[in-house]
Structure formats: C-alpha cells, structure tokens
Amino acid sequence: AAQPAETFSVLPEPNGSLRIVMPPNTKCQFELIDILGERVWSGTIAGTQSINVGTLPLGTYFYRLTSGTHNESGKILLGE
C-alpha cells in the first residue's frame, strides 16, 4: 500500500521521551504545551528523533508540529 506523502507521529516512550516520527529529510518546529497553556518545550526537529520529557510532571499535554504546509496538533498523555 502506498504511504501518504507526509506521515507524522508523536509517541510517548516508557523511558521519559517523546518520539517524533516524520518523513526523512524533513524539518519541523515542535512545541509541547502544558494544560495551563505554558510552552514547556520548543525547538526544531530534523527527521525522526526523541526528545527528553522525563523531567516534566505526568499529565496531559498538547503538541503543535509545523513543517512547511503541514500543520498538526494534538493531545498526548505523559505517564499513567
């Protein structure tokens, strides 16, 4: 089956990281925002990589990912 041209995923990992999966040779701006609307992580990510969020309190966060014309946002739960 053909893959979509741009596939992005944000996955929590048990080691206290968030894995951001994106197409090869892609750069994006990634922001992680807490439930109060405070930005707790922001940066440019190139290709698939993990960011350390192990120091953040457990709970619900929102993310925003921007890459060229691709914009995506969602909710993610850190911890159990």
Side-chain angles (χ1 to χ4, degrees):
Q3 291 288 328
E6 291 187 338
T7 302
F8 295 83
S9 303
V10 179
L11 310 164
E13 295 188 315
N15 65 358
S17 296
L18 277 182
R19 185 162 175 79
I20 296 105
V21 179
M22 67 182 85
N25 304 314
T26 302
K27 279 189 182 177
C28 79
Q29 179 68 25
F30 184 81
E31 295 177 299
L32 192 63
I33 299 147
D34 70 14
I35 199 79
L36 301 174
E38 299 289 323
R39 185 171 38 206
V40 295
W41 198 96
S42 175
T44 301
I45 295 172
T48 295
Q49 70 181 69
S50 295
I51 60 170
N52 182 0
V53 292
T55 59
L56 296 176
L58 304 181
T60 302
Y61 291 82
F62 301 93
Y63 67 87
R64 185 172 24 229
L65 188 151
T66 309
S67 175
T69 59
H70 183 89
N71 294 298
E72 185 174 313
S73 58
K75 184 165 66 169
I76 197 154
L77 183 65
L78 296 183
E80 301 272 316

